[in-house]
């Protein structure tokens, strides 16, 4: 609900309105807190896949601190591009940028087991993919027809399905603990389940920021529990105090810290995912203007937002950050507060940048036990699946679309679950196909464009074993 003490109803709908700083700053930090956990989680997961994450005992584990730092810093920089704008780059709207989950199924196979050495190819892909993402802004409005809810809903669902395994592994103790007595212990699960229960309780029984920041507050509760039961401690070589004292008070990002390597698999993967991310941004921009200003987004706003997505990602890649995209949590927060001011989000962006320049902030984040993070990740990635299914509810489920969805899902998810089936493929093809995401998306896009004819009920029953369903298509709307 809008707070009229901040400004008049007309001012609150104006992106260029600047509320008093005493209210703008906390409102801006609200926007950041709503996406904070989601923003740093990809860095933790990529580091874990590479082999220097939580519990790995790798001498490169301190590099995780830098990746967390860059996630915060360049989420703030990309957000500033959206709110302040530079020429045509940016929408001049209250759009919060953050590290995208969408690219994780591409990034994980690229770095799997390669340690820090795997990051050069990854960040090479981020830079080139980001530039291509920005180029998409010149024609993003013209490609929306090729990415209907059938395709975008399938892709988002596949992203979530690719990641839910990570949540369970983290909750049980992390990949390095697999095969040990500690893996899956009741102590590990108790920490993860506490996070889940607190998150659910706040989501369903609290309101306002308590509900919106439920995952963050759930992680804080899990962190306190971990301290009480001895999973982490203040003292010792690996305690909170040691982590805090070993981290610098201030540090600037380093360009090409991990080098630059051209990888066909990385470039293709990031390039193709850029299309999906661009369409997601179009949806977020439209949601913000409708929810906050009661109007449709303009062509310039959509184009500028996509430019900021791409250039923000490319800039992040230069310094060791991951691809950025607009965060959907922000849409709901604007609708809740009723404050459309882009300058409010600018305050949040500055807060993120400050956090990114202070490694001590990241040093505290990296002391969060992997099991506690697992509880939050289970909720977040489950919500990604749910968001994809929600998009699919807008699909007209005629028999043609059912068959397209069936083939794309079957091949994409099948390759994801059984990557060994592609062991004889070249490395580039194997990395792209075993993500499951890209083959599913390409199959759905191509079939949707080339299969114009409706199918008969009998032809669907033939391949569905009598379980074709009898729905009429769209869910009922008010």
């Amino acid at each position: 609900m809008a707070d009229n003490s901040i400004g008049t109803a007309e001012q609150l709908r104006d992106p260029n309105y600047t509320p008093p700083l005493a209210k703008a700053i906390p409102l801006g930090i609200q926007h950041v807190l709503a996406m904070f956990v989601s923003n740093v989680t990809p860095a933790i997961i990529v580091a874990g896949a590479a082999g220097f994450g939580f519990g790995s005992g790798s001498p490169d584990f301190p590099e995780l601190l830098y990746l967390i730092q860059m996630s915060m810093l360049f989420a703030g920089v990309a957000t500033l591009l959206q709110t302040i704008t530079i020429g045509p780059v940016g929408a001049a709207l209250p759009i919060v940028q953050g590290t995208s989950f969408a690219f994780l199924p591409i990034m994980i196979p690229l770095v799997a087991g390669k340690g820090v050495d795997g990051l050069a190819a990854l960040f090479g892909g981020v830079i080139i993919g980001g530039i291509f993402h920005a180029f998409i802004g010149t024609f993003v409005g013209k490609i929306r027809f090729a990415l209907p809810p059938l395709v975008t809903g399938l892709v988002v669902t596949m992203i979530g399905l690719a990641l839910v395994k990570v949540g369970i592994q983290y909750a049980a103790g992390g990949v390095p603990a697999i095969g040990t007595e500690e893996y899956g212990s009741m102590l590990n699960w108790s920490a993860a389940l506490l996070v889940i229960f607190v998150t659910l309780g706040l989501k369903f029984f609290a309101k306002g920021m308590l509900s919106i920041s439920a995952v963050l507050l759930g992680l804080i509760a899990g962190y306190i529990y971990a301290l009480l039961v001895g999973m982490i401690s203040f003292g010792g070589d690996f305690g909170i105090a040691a982590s805090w004292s070993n981290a610098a008070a201030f540090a600037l990002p380093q360009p090409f810290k991990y080098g630059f390597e051209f990888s066909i698999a990385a470039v293709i993967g990031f390039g193709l995912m850029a299309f999906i991310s661009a369409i997601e941004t179009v949806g977020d921009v439209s949601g913000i203007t409708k929810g906050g200003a009661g109007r449709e987004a303009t062509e310039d706003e959509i184009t500028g937002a996509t430019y900021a997505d791409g250039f923000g990602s490319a800039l992040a890649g230069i310094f060791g950050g991951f691809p950025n995209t607009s965060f959907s949590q922000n849409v709901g927060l604007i609708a809740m507060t009723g404050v459309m001011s882009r300058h409010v989000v600018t305050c949040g962006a500055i807060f993120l940048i400050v956090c990114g320049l202070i490694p001590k902030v990241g040093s505290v984040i990296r002391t969060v036990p992997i099991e506690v993070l697992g509880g939050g990740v289970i909720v977040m990635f489950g919500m990604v699946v749910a968001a994809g299914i929600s998009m699919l509810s807008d699909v007209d489920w005629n028999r043609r679309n059912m068959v397209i969805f069936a083939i794309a899902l079957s091949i994409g998810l099948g390759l994801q679950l059984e990557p060994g089936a592609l062991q004889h493929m070249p490395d580039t093809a194997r990395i792209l196909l075993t993500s499951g995401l890209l083959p599913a998306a390409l199959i759905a896009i191509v079939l949707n464009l080339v299969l114009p004819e409706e199918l008969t009920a009998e032809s669907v029953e033939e391949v569905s074993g009598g379980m074709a369903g009898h729905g009429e298509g769209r869910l009922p709307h008010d």
Side-chain angles (χ1 to χ4, degrees):
M1 181 179 294
D3 182 355
N4 291 327
S5 68
I6 298 174
T8 66
E10 185 177 349
Q11 287 174 325
L12 294 179
R13 288 195 298 270
D14 182 5
N16 297 313
Y17 170 63
T18 305
L21 277 181
K23 296 195 174 182
I25 291 174
L27 282 172
I29 293 175
Q30 269 194 161
H31 283 284
V32 169
L33 293 180
M35 53 73 77
F36 195 85
V37 177
S38 301
N39 184 54
V40 300
T41 297
I44 296 169
I45 290 172
V46 169
F52 58 91
F54 289 105
S56 64
S58 167
D60 293 319
F61 178 69
E63 297 299 331
L64 173 59
L65 176 58
Y66 183 81
L67 296 181
I68 291 173
Q69 184 184 343
M70 292 305 99
S71 295
M72 293 186 287
L73 177 61
F74 285 98
V77 170
T79 301
L80 280 185
L81 284 178
Q82 293 284 21
T83 60
I84 295 177
T85 74
I86 298 178
V89 179
L93 291 172
I95 298 172
V96 176
Q97 297 283 119
T99 310
S100 175
F101 283 167
F103 294 86
L104 277 174
I106 307 300
M107 294 192 285
I108 290 172
L110 279 171
V111 302
K114 297 178 182 177
V116 173
D117 292 340
L119 296 179
L122 186 150
F123 289 123
V126 173
I127 295 167
I128 297 173
I131 294 170
F132 176 68
H133 192 152
F135 173 69
I136 292 174
T138 61
F139 58 88
V140 64
K142 298 180 176 63
I143 63 170
R144 293 178 71 177
F145 77 94
L147 296 168
L150 175 65
V151 175
T152 54
L154 169 66
V155 170
V156 173
T157 302
M158 286 290 299
I159 291 168
L161 292 175
L163 297 173
V164 288
K165 180 181 178 181
V166 174
I168 298 298
Q169 288 177 336
Y170 279 21
V175 174
I178 294 177
T180 68
E181 283 294 320
E182 178 193 352
Y183 190 71
S185 69
M186 288 307 299
L187 179 62
N188 292 350
W189 272 108
S190 66
L193 290 173
L194 176 69
V195 175
I196 293 172
F197 289 145
V198 171
T199 301
L200 290 177
L202 291 172
K203 274 290 178 194
F204 285 98
F205 300 107
K207 295 180 180 180
M209 272 303 294
L210 287 177
S211 177
I212 289 173
S213 300
V215 175
L216 176 63
L217 296 174
L219 287 173
I220 292 173
Y223 192 78
I224 294 171
Y225 172 79
L227 274 171
L228 294 176
V229 300
M231 297 177 77
I232 49 172
S233 64
F234 282 105
D237 294 338
F238 302 100
I240 299 169
S243 182
W244 177 269
S245 62
N246 290 334
F250 179 81
L252 291 171
Q254 303 174 41
F256 300 106
K257 176 179 171 66
Y258 302 107
F260 179 92
E261 181 181 323
F262 182 83
S263 163
I264 292 293
V267 170
I268 294 174
F270 284 109
L272 291 175
M273 281 311 304
F275 282 103
I276 307 299
S277 182
I279 294 301
E280 180 188 0
T281 296
V282 171
D284 288 342
V285 173
S286 299
I288 287 171
T289 56
K290 286 179 184 176
R295 62 172 176 81
E296 294 292 332
T298 67
E299 193 70 29
D300 285 345
E301 287 170 340
I302 289 173
T303 300
T306 310
Y307 285 159
D309 259 12
F311 288 124
S313 295
L315 183 63
I318 292 172
F319 292 94
F322 299 112
N324 275 273
T325 190
S326 61
F327 261 47
S328 299
Q329 295 99 314
N330 191 48
V331 179
L333 190 53
I334 287 172
M336 182 193 83
T337 64
V339 180
M340 183 69 173
S341 170
R342 60 189 171 113
H343 302 303
V344 162
V345 173
T346 297
C347 295
I350 293 170
F351 175 79
L352 270 177
I353 290 171
V354 171
C355 288
L357 293 173
I358 303 175
K360 286 187 181 297
V361 176
S363 73
V364 174
I365 294 173
R366 73 175 185 174
T367 63
V368 176
I370 193 71
E371 300 83 0
V372 171
L373 183 67
V377 168
I378 285 173
V379 175
M380 287 188 286
F381 292 161
M383 282 301 295
V384 174
V385 178
I389 293 172
S390 176
M391 293 178 184
L392 291 170
S393 70
D394 289 330
V395 175
D396 183 5
W397 283 112
N398 56 41
R399 294 174 180 87
R400 170 188 180 274
N401 286 341
M402 286 175 60
V403 171
I404 292 173
F405 181 82
I407 295 171
L409 180 69
S410 183
I411 294 176
L413 186 58
L415 292 176
Q416 190 183 101
L417 294 174
E418 191 49 56
L422 299 174
Q423 62 178 327
H424 298 297
M425 296 284 285
D427 286 348
T428 296
R430 181 170 47 78
I431 289 172
L432 293 174
L433 293 174
T434 54
S435 72
L437 192 60
L438 295 181
L442 286 174
I443 290 168
I445 290 170
V446 172
L447 292 183
N448 184 61
L449 292 175
V450 303
L451 297 180
E453 298 298 326
E454 173 63 282
L455 295 174
T456 64
E458 292 77 13
S459 65
V460 177
E461 290 286 355
E462 180 185 7
V463 295
S464 67
M467 294 188 288
H470 303 285
E472 296 299 322
R474 296 180 185 276
L475 295 179
H477 293 280
D478 293 334

